[in-house]
C-alpha cells in the first residue's frame, strides 16, 4: 500500500470504516441462551479494559431514540437493535471504536476515521482484536480463517469501507457504469445506510465484498486503489460539470446556502439536497467555507434521532424540522468565513 | 363613491390606472399620412405645456430596449411601438402620466397611482383631458359620447384598472370562480401585461369592460366596489391559507428571501415566484420588511428591458440574470429591518 495524504480528495472522501466479524469458539453462532450471551459481553468488556476507555451499553437499557441515534452514527446496526435481549455495544470516548456483542456474529469490531485512512484504521482495530483474542477463544479455522455466521464474511471477517461524496458522477449518470465496474473487482457500492439504501446527498459507501482467500492487506490495497480511481474520475467529472459551468454551480451553492441559513423548517431530505450543493461549492472554493469536515459533521448531527438526543426529548416531526433549521442556520453562519 | 384610505389593503392593491381614449374630429382613426400624424403630436404637446412638465418621445427615435422598458412600466403599449413612424408619447417627470399619440386611437391619456386611488387618478387625467380638449377638436357624439377606433371603447373611452396581488385566491383556486363573477358585472380580470398574459407573481388587473351607456362615476364606483370585495375575499383566504399555517408560510417566505439574497443568477420568473413569497411574508408581518411599496417597485425595476436601461447597454440574457441577482440582493438586504 502506498502512503497517501489522508486529506487528499478532501470532501470526496468522508470516512473510513474497518469492521471485523469474530465469534467465540464452541458456541453456536445464534446464542439463544441469555446467560451465555451476557457472559460473552462481560468477557469482551474485560478484554477491552486495557485497550481504551469504553462505555458499555446493553440494548435492553437504551431507549429507541438512543439506539436509533447510535445507528445514525453507524456505531451499531439494525441487527444489534433487533437482538433486544442479548445485544450490547462498547463505545470509546471519541466514538472512533465500537464493538458490538451478540449481533449477527458474537463480536463485531469497528473503527472509524475521517478521510482515507485504511491502514491506520486497520492497525487500530487490530489492537482491539488482539486484546479480545487474548481473553476469548475465537473461532478460527486453519483453512477458512475466521468463522462467521454468514459465509460472506468467512476468512478475514473484514469489511473495509469508505464513505464517498460523488456529486458529479451521480449527476452525469456515470455512477451506474462505475457500480458495475467496481462489482467486477469484488467490491460493492452502497447508499449511506448500507444495502438497499439510497445515495442521498450524493453519498456512497465503497467496500469489499470478498473476505475469503485474500489477505487483509490485499483487501485494504484493493479498496484504497479503487477509491482513489473513483476520486480521480469524480474530480475529472467535477471539472467538466461544475468548474466549466462556474456561475451556475456557484449560483446553486449560494441559493442552497441562502435556503439553509434562512429556513424556519427543514426536513432531513431537504437539508441533504441543499447541503450537498453547499459542500460542493465549498470544495470548489466558490463559497467561503474552508472547513469541509464541519459540513460532514453537521450532516450526522442533524439526523432525526441525533437531533432528539441533543435535545433530550421526544420531538415531534415538525419540532425536529424546526430545531434542524436552527442548528443548520447557526452552524453554517458560524463556519462561513 | 366612498372615500377610502388608499393604503387599505396595502400589498393587495398595487396600482390604479385610468386610461382615456380620445380622437381628433374630422380625421380618420387610422392616420396613414405622416404630416397629419406629426401635426396631432405637436398639438397635443402644445396643449400639455400648461399641465405639467412633459418629455416628448417619438417612437422612431427610441431604441427597442427603451421602448420595451417603457412598455414594462406600462407607459406605452405594444400598439404604439408598432406604429414606428407616427407614434409618440408624452411622459411627465414622475411617470405618473403618459399620453400616447397615434396609438390605436389618436390620443390615449393615462394616469397611474399607487394603491386604490380611482377618484384621484380620474381627477388628474381629467385635467389633462381638459387641456387637450381646449387645443384640439375631439371627436364626440351627443348620443355615443367619445368616438373611438374600436367600438369597445366608445362612450366614456375610459378604462379604469387596478393591479392586485392575490396569492391566496390563486393558490386556493378560487380565482377561477371570481373571474367569472367579475365578468358578469361587466368587469374583467387579466394578467400583469393585459389580455392573454399570465398572472405571474399572483398579480392581476381588474378593469371595466363596458364604456358605453354608463357614466365615468359609475365605472369608477363599480371598479372600486369590486376591488374591495375581491380584497375582502383575498384577506379571508389569506387568513385561512397562510395565517392558520403560520410556520409553513413563514418558512416559505424566509427560504425565498434566502434564495433572493444569495442568488448569483436570477431569471425574471424565478425572481417573481420568490418575491411573491417574500411580499406575502412581509404583508403578514412574518418577515421584517415594512416597506411593501419598495417590493412592488423592485418588481418593475428588474424587468428585462428596465435592467438594460439602468445599465445603459445591451445585456446578454445571462448578464441580465447576474445584474438582477445583484440588484435584488442589495435592495432586499437594505429594506429588511
Amino acid at each position: 500500500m502506498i502512503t497517501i495524504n489522508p486529506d487528499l480528495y478532501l470532501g470526496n472522501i468522508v470516512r473510513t470504516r474497518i469492521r471485523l466479524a469474530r465469534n467465540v469458539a464452541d458456541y453456536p453462532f445464534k446464542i439463544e441462551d441469555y446467560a451465555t450471551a451476557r457472559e460473552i459481553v462481560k468477557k469482551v468488556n474485560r478484554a477491552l479494559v486495557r485497550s481504551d476507555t469504553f462505555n458499555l451499553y446493553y440494548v435492553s437499557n437504551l431507549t429507541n431514540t438512543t439506539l436509533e441515534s447510535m445507528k445514525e452514527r453507524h456505531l451499531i446496526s439494525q441487527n444489534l437493535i433487533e437482538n433486544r435481549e442479548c445485544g450490547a455495544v462498547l463505545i470509546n470516548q471519541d466514538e472512533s471504536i465500537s464493538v458490538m456483542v451478540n449481533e449477527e456474529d458474537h463480536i463485531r469490531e469497528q473503527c472509524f476515521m475521517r478521510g482515507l485512512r485504511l491502514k491506520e484504521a486497520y492497525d487500530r482495530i487490530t489492537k482491539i482484536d488482539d486484546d479480545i483474542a487474548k481473553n476469548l477463544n475465537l473461532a478460527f479455522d486453519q483453512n477458512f480463517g475466521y468463522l462467521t455466521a454468514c459465509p460472506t464474511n468467512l476468512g478475514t471477517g473484514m469489511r473495509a469501507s469508505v464513505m464517498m461524496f460523488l456529486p458529479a458522477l451521480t449527476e452525469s449518470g456515470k455512477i451506474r457504469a462505475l457500480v458495475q465496474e467496481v462489482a467486477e473487482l469484488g467490491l460493492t457500492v452502497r447508499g449511506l445506510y448500507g444495502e438497499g439504501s439510497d445515495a442521498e446527498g450524493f453519498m456512497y459507501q465503497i467496500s469489499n465484498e470478498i473476505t475469503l482467500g485474500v489477505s487483509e492487506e490485499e483487501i485494504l490495497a484493493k479498496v484504497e486503489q479503487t477509491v482513489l480511481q473513483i476520486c480521480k474520475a469524480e474530480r475529472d467529472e467535477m471539472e467538466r460539470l461544475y468548474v466549466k459551468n462556474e456561475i451556475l454551480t456557484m449560483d446553486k451553492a449560494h441559493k442552497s446556502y441562502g435556503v439553509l441559513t434562512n429556513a424556519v423548517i427543514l426536513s432531513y431530505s431537504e437539508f441533504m439536497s441543499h447541503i450537498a450543493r453547499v459542500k460542493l461549492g465549498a470544495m470548489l472554493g466558490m463559497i467561503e467555507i474552508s472547513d469541509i469536515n464541519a459540513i460532514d459533521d453537521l450532516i450526522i448531527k442533524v439526523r432525526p434521532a441525533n437531533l432528539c438526543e441533543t435535545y433530550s426529548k421526544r420531538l415531534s416531526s415538525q419540532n425536529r424540522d424546526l430545531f434542524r433549521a436552527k442548528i443548520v442556520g447557526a452552524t453554517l453562519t458560524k463556519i462561513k468565513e
Side-chain angles (χ1 to χ4, degrees), chain A:
Chain A
M1 267 180 97
I2 3 141
T3 304
I4 59 148
N5 171 3
D7 283 336
L8 187 72
Y9 299 124
L10 178 72
N12 288 128
I13 302 177
V14 180
R15 291 210 296 178
T16 296
R17 166 162 59 158
I18 304 281
R19 180 268 280 158
L20 302 178
R22 299 291 184 254
N23 288 277
V24 184
D26 308 324
Y27 284 112
F29 289 121
K30 177 93 186 134
I31 294 172
E32 308 275 351
D33 164 27
Y34 178 75
T36 310
R38 279 279 160 132
E39 186 56 36
I40 298 178
V41 174
K42 282 180 189 159
K43 283 187 178 169
V44 172
N45 191 29
R46 223 172 296 134
L48 293 181
V49 166
R50 73 188 66 186
S51 316
D52 198 345
T53 308
F54 281 89
N55 285 320
L56 169 63
Y57 305 96
Y58 287 98
V59 170
S60 57
N61 291 341
L62 301 176
T63 64
N64 286 337
T65 304
T66 304
L67 289 167
E68 199 55 40
S69 80
M70 286 178 169
K71 190 180 137 198
E72 286 176 351
R73 304 204 295 285
H74 300 276
L75 296 168
I76 64 173
S77 63
Q78 186 56 34
N79 232 315
L80 189 83
I81 294 176
E82 281 162 17
N83 193 357
R84 199 153 233 339
E85 212 184 341
C86 301
V89 62
L90 291 121
I91 302 172
N92 74 344
Q93 298 302 301
D94 65 2
E95 300 195 340
S96 60
I97 290 171
S98 93
V99 179
M100 291 186 273
V101 188
N102 300 318
E103 204 253 11
E104 182 183 290
D105 296 292
H106 297 158
I107 306 165
R108 287 217 167 178
E109 308 153 12
Q110 299 187 99
C111 177
F112 308 92
M113 297 190 83
R114 260 194 220 286
L116 186 60
R117 287 179 168 87
L118 286 157
K119 187 71 175 64
E120 267 178 85
Y122 176 68
D123 288 346
R124 285 194 66 195
I125 205 64
T126 298
K127 284 208 187 80
I128 299 293
D129 192 46
D130 289 347
D131 287 334
I132 290 173
K134 277 178 207 150
N135 280 264
L136 284 131
N137 185 20
L138 297 179
F140 185 84
D141 179 277
Q142 284 304 329
N143 290 319
F144 288 120
Y146 289 101
L147 302 177
T148 54
C150 178
T152 55
N153 292 313
L154 216 56
T156 57
M158 182 169 93
R159 175 165 287 167
S161 51
V162 178
M163 192 186 293
M164 303 184 74
F165 175 66
L166 305 173
L169 291 169
T170 308
E171 292 205 293
S172 70
K174 292 189 179 170
I175 194 82
R176 283 190 295 275
L178 190 134
V179 168
Q180 296 217 322
E181 283 169 41
V182 166
E184 284 162 22
L185 294 169
L187 302 183
T188 186
V189 181
R190 290 185 179 85
L192 195 51
Y193 284 98
E195 293 169 53
S197 69
D198 283 341
E200 56 177 9
F202 307 129
M203 298 254 252
Y204 298 87
Q205 282 185 69
I206 318 295
S207 58
N208 63 305
E209 201 54 5
I210 297 163
T211 55
L212 185 66
V214 283
S215 71
E216 282 82 355
E217 286 71 21
E218 283 167 331
I219 292 172
L220 297 177
K222 190 178 258 182
V223 170
E224 182 172 286
Q225 198 179 10
T226 307
V227 164
L228 290 174
Q229 274 169 3
I230 294 173
C231 272
K232 178 77 176 57
E234 171 66 21
R235 290 286 167 118
D236 289 350
E237 202 62 21
M238 279 172 76
E239 179 71 30
R240 207 180 62 79
L241 272 191
Y242 305 131
V243 180
K244 290 204 175 144
N245 295 296
E246 190 187 352
I247 293 181
L248 205 68
T249 307
M250 200 189 291
D251 178 59
K252 284 187 181 176
H254 282 265
K255 279 176 183 158
S256 283
Y257 180 87
V259 169
L260 295 181
T261 50
N262 286 276
V264 176
I265 48 180
L266 211 46
S267 72
Y268 187 67
S269 74
E270 188 179 5
F271 162 74
M272 278 303 276
S273 68
H274 287 297
I275 199 72
R277 295 280 159 211
V278 171
K279 179 173 170 177
L280 186 57
M283 285 172 67
L284 296 168
M286 292 172 177
I287 194 163
E288 302 71 25
I289 294 171
S290 60
D291 190 359
I292 306 287
N293 290 332
I295 294 178
D296 289 330
D297 291 345
L298 183 62
I299 291 172
I300 294 177
K301 198 173 163 189
V302 299
R303 282 179 192 150
N306 271 298
L307 263 191
C308 291
E309 278 293 279
T310 308
Y311 289 91
S312 310
K313 53 186 163 185
R314 284 184 73 83
L315 293 173
S316 68
S317 168
Q318 197 188 40
N319 279 338
R320 264 208 309 268
D321 292 351
L322 284 167
F323 277 114
R324 184 177 292 113
K326 274 188 196 169
I327 294 171
V328 168
T331 306
L332 285 182
T333 306
K334 206 174 74 184
I335 64 176
K336 197 172 176 195
E337 285 153 4

